[in-house]
Amino acid sequence: MAPAHSTAVPAALARRPLRTFRPQDATDVYAHPRPELARLVTRGVLHRAAPGYYSWYPRNKPGARGLRTSKPPPPESPPRSTDPITRS
């Protein structure tokens, strides 16, 4: 079985500054870039950074753990007292 990340980012897109690009930047690589970029997102090769922006990171770097996609949940605050005497 092939690994989930067997599809590579084309070299023309991999050389973009900050490894970020838009679908219109990929028209010289793909005839129809939006479906191709969506396919790469589904395969886990690209990350959809924002609407219309895609980025990638090299997976072969030692110690690369991937993108952090969300913030950790905030710590729970202590329950508020409903007792009118202890309220301040």
Side-chain angles (χ1 to χ4, degrees), residues 11-74:
L13 297 177
R15 288 190 297 258
R16 300 284 303 179
L18 300 175
R19 298 184 190 114
T20 304
F21 51 90
R22 300 175 295 170
Q24 66 194 32
D25 300 332
T27 55
D28 57 337
V29 177
Y30 298 116
H32 303 285
R34 290 186 193 278
E36 290 297 326
L37 296 178
R39 180 182 61 82
L40 292 173
V41 168
T42 302
R43 296 204 32 106
V45 176
L46 292 180
H47 172 72
R48 187 171 179 226
Y53 288 88
Y54 297 89
S55 63
W56 73 279
Y57 60 96
R59 295 182 184 266
N60 59 354
K61 286 182 110 175
R65 291 184 290 157
L67 292 176
R68 187 173 187 174
T69 57
S70 64
K71 294 180 181 178

